[in-house]
Amino acid sequence: MSLEIFPRARLGLAAAALAVVAGGAGYGFAHLGGGEAPSMQSADAGRKPLYYYDPMVPSQHFDAPGKSPFMDMQLVPKYADGRGSDAPGVRIDPATAQSLGLRTVAVRRGELASSITATGTIDFNQRDVAIIQARAGGFVQRVYARAPGDIVGAGAPLADLLVPEWGGAQAEFLAVRRTGNAALTQAARQRLMLLGMPPGTIASVERSGRPHNVITMSTPTGGVIKTLDVRAGMTMAAGQTLAEVNGLGTVWLNAAVPEAIAGPLKPGQIVQASLAAFPGETLSGRVSAVLPQTQADSRTLTVRIELPNRGGRLRPGMFATVSFGGATQPALLVPSEALIRTGKRTLVMLALDKGRYRPAEVQTGREAGGDTEILAGLSAGEKIIASGQFLIDSEASLSGVEARPIGGAAAAAPAAKSATSLC
C-alpha cells in the first residue's frame, strides 16, 4: 500500500508547486503588463471595467469577473487607459519604462548621402582581347616557351609556321618584280595581301629579294595568355585559333548590387573600391555599364566598373568592396534601429504624452550611416522609441491596439477594446 501512495503523493506535490509558480508569474505579468494591483483598485472604484482578462492569456477577454478558466487565479479588470481617456495605445509608468530601457528620439530633418556599398570580384576586361589565328594552312615547325597564364608583351613570338602556299606566292612576286613591270608588280603584291600575309612579311621579302617560307606568329598586344592551342609538328588549317591574349591595362570589377537600391546607379558614375589584397588603399574607378539582367537567386544587378591596372597588380578573382558615392539630399530621418519590419509593413513605436505609446505604420526610403529616410507616416518633431520598442509592440498586439495608418491623424479615436494600460 505504501508503494502505491508514495508516487501519488509526489505527483500531488509537483502539481501544487506548478500552481504556485504559475500564480506568481501571472501576478508579476499583471503588475507589469496592465493588471490592476489591489492597491490600485480603490482608485478605480465606481469605474466600469472594459473587460476582464487572465494576465497569462491577455488576448482572451471576459464580460464578468470570476475565476480564470486557464489558471487558478481571479480575472483582472481592464479599465479605459488614461483614467477615463479612450486615446489609442498602451501606457507605461516612468519607473517601468526606465527598467525596460526605453530610449526615445525625435524625428528630425537632415542630410542623407546617396551612398551604396556592395561587394564584387575582379575580372578580365573582355573588350581587350586579341585572337591569334592561322591565316593559311600549314605546319608548325617550332613553338616558343609559352603556356597559358604567362604574361607577355606586344610582339612576343608564339610559334614558327611553314606555309607552302605563301612560299609559292612570294617566289612569283619576286619573279614579276624582276621584270620591272610596275603594274604586274603591284598586282602580285596585292595577291600576297589577299592571301593573308602580314605587311611586315611582304616588306621583308621585298628587302631581301628571297621568299620567306617560315613565318613567326607573334602577339599583337601585351597581356596574359588565356588559351594556347599550338604544338610543334601539328598541322593547322586556315582560320584555326592558335592563342588568345587578354590585355591587363584595365580590369573589370563586377559588383552585385541589390535591385531595390540599384535605381540611382548610372554609367559614368565615379566609385571607390578597396581590395582585401591591399588593405588601407582605395582605388578610384568608373561605372561602365549596369547589366540589364537580374540574378534571380540573389535579386541583385551586376554593375560593371572599369579600374586602371597600373603595374598589373589587380588580378581576376580578387575580392573588393565598392562604395557608390553621391550627393547628399535633405530627408526626414529616424534611426534605423527604431524600425520594426514585419515583412508586410514597417512600423515605429510613437512616444505620446502621459507615458502612452502607439505603433505607427511608415514608408521608408534610403538608408545610410545608421539613419533611414521616412517617406510617409511621420512628421518632424514626433518622438519614437529607438530601443526596447519590440516589447511595447508585443503588448500592443496582444491588447489589440491598431497601428496608426500612413496619413492618419496623430490622435485617432480607437474602439474601446483597443485601450490598455500598464501601471
Side-chain angles (χ1 to χ4, degrees):
M1 176 67 70
S2 61
L3 294 178
E4 295 180 358
I5 295 175
F6 179 76
R8 294 178 181 176
R10 184 171 56 183
L11 181 60
L13 290 174
L18 288 176
V20 171
V21 172
Y27 174 77
F29 185 89
H31 184 71
L32 176 63
E36 302 296 337
S39 60
M40 299 294 296
Q41 290 180 0
S42 59
D44 291 317
R47 298 179 60 217
K48 182 179 180 181
L50 298 174
Y51 55 85
Y52 297 85
Y53 72 102
D54 185 340
M56 300 302 296
V57 190
S59 59
Q60 187 69 36
H61 300 171
F62 300 92
D63 296 331
K67 191 173 183 180
S68 170
F70 308 106
M71 304 295 296
D72 187 15
M73 58 187 301
Q74 294 294 320
L75 295 176
V76 177
K78 174 68 73 174
Y79 295 94
D81 197 10
R83 303 297 178 192
S85 171
D86 57 356
V90 295
R91 185 164 58 86
I92 303 178
D93 64 350
T96 304
Q98 184 176 4
S99 64
L100 292 177
L102 300 184
R103 179 169 58 89
T104 62
V105 296
V107 182
R108 61 183 176 86
R109 293 197 175 275
E111 299 288 333
L112 188 66
S114 301
S115 179
I116 300 173
T117 302
T119 58
T121 54
I122 301 294
D123 194 6
F124 287 108
N125 185 346
Q126 299 299 329
R127 294 192 180 98
D128 190 8
V129 178
I131 305 294
I132 297 93
Q133 292 182 331
R135 298 186 178 185
F139 311 95
V140 180
Q141 282 196 337
R142 175 191 176 187
V143 294
Y144 294 82
R146 308 296 183 195
D150 288 351
I151 298 178
V152 297
L158 294 177
D160 291 341
L161 310 179
L162 174 61
V163 185
E165 184 181 5
W166 285 5
Q170 290 174 11
E172 181 181 343
F173 166 72
L174 292 175
V176 172
R177 184 170 175 264
R178 285 192 292 267
T179 63
N181 190 320
L184 292 178
T185 302
Q186 180 62 28
R189 183 185 292 106
Q190 184 69 20
R191 181 169 179 266
L192 295 181
M193 297 179 62
L194 294 177
L195 289 174
M197 197 174 300
T201 302
I202 298 175
S204 179
V205 170
E206 288 185 299
R207 287 193 306 268
S208 63
R210 54 193 178 86
H212 288 196
N213 296 329
V214 177
I215 307 300
T216 300
M217 300 295 294
S218 57
T219 58
T221 182
V224 59
I225 299 177
K226 295 185 68 176
T227 61
L228 183 63
D229 299 324
V230 57
R231 298 293 182 268
M234 66 180 292
T235 302
M236 62 182 185
Q240 180 176 343
T241 298
L242 304 180
E244 179 181 346
V245 178
N246 208 132
L248 294 175
T250 58
V251 293
W252 283 349
L253 173 56
N254 295 322
V257 180
E259 61 176 343
I261 60 176
L265 300 182
K266 303 295 181 184
Q269 183 174 346
I270 301 297
V271 302
Q272 304 294 325
S274 57
L275 280 75
F278 309 108
E281 185 175 350
T282 301
L283 303 178
S284 180
R286 187 182 300 271
V287 176
S288 61
V290 180
L291 301 191
Q293 185 175 2
T294 302
Q295 300 297 324
D297 53 347
S298 60
R299 309 311 306 170
T300 58
L301 288 174
T302 300
V303 179
R304 180 178 296 164
I305 302 158
E306 191 167 310
L307 293 175
N309 189 17
R310 299 179 181 87
R313 298 189 309 157
L314 305 182
R315 304 177 184 273
M318 285 184 172
F319 180 81
T321 302
V322 188
S323 177
F324 301 86
T328 58
Q329 298 179 0
L332 191 65
L333 303 177
V334 299
S336 299
E337 62 178 339
L339 301 178
I340 304 174
R341 305 182 189 272
T342 67
K344 295 182 179 180
R345 59 181 181 174
T346 302
L347 302 173
V348 296
M349 188 60 61
L350 292 172
L352 307 177
D353 56 347
K354 299 181 180 180
R356 184 178 300 280
Y357 303 91
R358 182 189 181 186
E361 185 177 355
V362 296
Q363 181 182 355
T364 60
R366 299 165 297 154
E367 182 176 356
D371 290 331
T372 299
E373 178 185 16
I374 299 298
L375 301 178
L378 289 176
S379 300
E382 288 189 289
K383 293 184 177 181
I384 61 173
I385 301 297
S387 63
Q389 68 271 24
F390 292 95
L391 299 174
I392 311 302
D393 180 63
S394 299
E395 175 64 19
S397 299
L398 291 174
S399 302
V401 177
E402 296 183 359
R404 190 180 77 182
I406 296 178
K417 66 176 182 180
S418 299
T420 183
S421 62
L422 294 176
C423 301

